Amino acid sequence: MIWFKIKELERQLIAGEVSDYLAFKYLLAQVILFTLAASIPGNDHDPMWSQGIHLVIALSTLIWGFTRTFEINEAGDNRDYFKRFLSLSLVASLRVVVFIFMFSAVLTSALLLARMFDFPLRQYTWDSEFFELFGYLLFSLVFYFILIRSFRRINSAGGTGKVETGLNS
């Protein structure tokens, strides 16, 4: 990988010397750098241990999900990884957002019912940090499982153009 010599990278791109695998490594490195930059402490609300665990979850799920989708695509027809990844990522993200709204609606309803019936609720404590981290892990895994399932379906079509739609795929 070329880290600083942009003209050399431009030359390799023009000459067609950059493989999909190398482009994948560039994309993965870029996303890891963005994740690290976004995790720079600056929020006094979350304790440092929580921010550290959040970063570990973000990097672990990101590296696992990216690598798994690339491996599935490579083992399949090995075509159009970036077109597939970028296209499917948007749709998977929208599905996760809907899932989060539904999850939040159920949770909010439960909290409202608890208050209506004077059920004692605890104030913000360290265990709410664990709940928040668990939610982040859950939503990250849901996103990558949607992507992985889509990559499996696309690559199981075997060039027929037909994608399996069964529940087991």
Side-chain angles (χ1 to χ4, degrees):
M1 284 182 63
I2 296 171
W3 291 96
F4 292 104
K5 297 179 181 179
I6 197 162
K7 289 188 182 204
E8 175 59 20
L9 180 56
E10 291 169 358
R11 186 201 63 73
Q12 288 181 7
L13 286 164
I14 290 168
E17 296 172 0
V18 177
S19 67
D20 275 352
Y21 180 67
L22 184 57
F24 165 77
K25 287 172 39 178
Y26 278 113
L27 176 64
L28 184 60
Q30 179 68 28
V31 175
I32 288 171
L33 289 174
F34 280 149
T35 301
L36 290 171
S39 298
I40 294 173
N43 181 355
D44 293 334
H45 174 69
D46 292 330
M48 284 297 287
W49 65 266
S50 174
Q51 293 176 22
I53 292 173
H54 189 277
L55 178 61
V56 168
I57 291 170
L59 288 174
S60 300
T61 56
L62 180 145
I63 292 168
W64 171 76
F66 267 65
T67 304
R68 194 68 193 114
T69 55
F70 189 81
E71 290 170 348
I72 291 168
N73 195 69
E74 195 174 44
D77 63 7
N78 199 22
R79 292 187 348 223
D80 302 326
Y81 174 77
F82 296 102
K83 184 189 313 182
R84 291 171 180 178
F85 186 87
L86 295 172
S87 302
L88 291 169
S89 290
L90 175 66
V91 177
S93 296
L94 294 175
R95 286 180 168 217
V96 170
V97 167
V98 169
F99 180 73
I100 289 170
F101 280 134
M102 292 181 349
F103 184 80
S104 297
V106 169
L107 186 61
T108 301
S109 298
L111 290 172
L112 287 173
L113 283 172
R115 286 191 181 145
M116 281 177 44
F117 294 107
D118 291 326
F119 188 79
L121 297 174
R122 291 202 265 166
Q123 294 298 323
Y124 186 83
T125 60
W126 67 270
D127 59 335
S128 63
E129 288 293 332
F130 284 114
F131 182 73
E132 184 179 319
L133 290 168
F134 175 76
Y136 180 70
L137 174 63
L138 175 68
F139 300 138
S140 297
L141 290 175
V142 167
F143 171 76
Y144 286 112
F145 278 124
I146 291 170
L147 275 180
I148 288 167
R149 191 175 65 199
S150 292
F151 269 87
R152 283 185 179 143
R153 281 196 298 256
I154 289 169
N155 282 285
S156 71
T160 64
K162 295 180 181 177
V163 176
E164 293 181 30
T165 58
L167 294 175
N168 294 331
S169 54

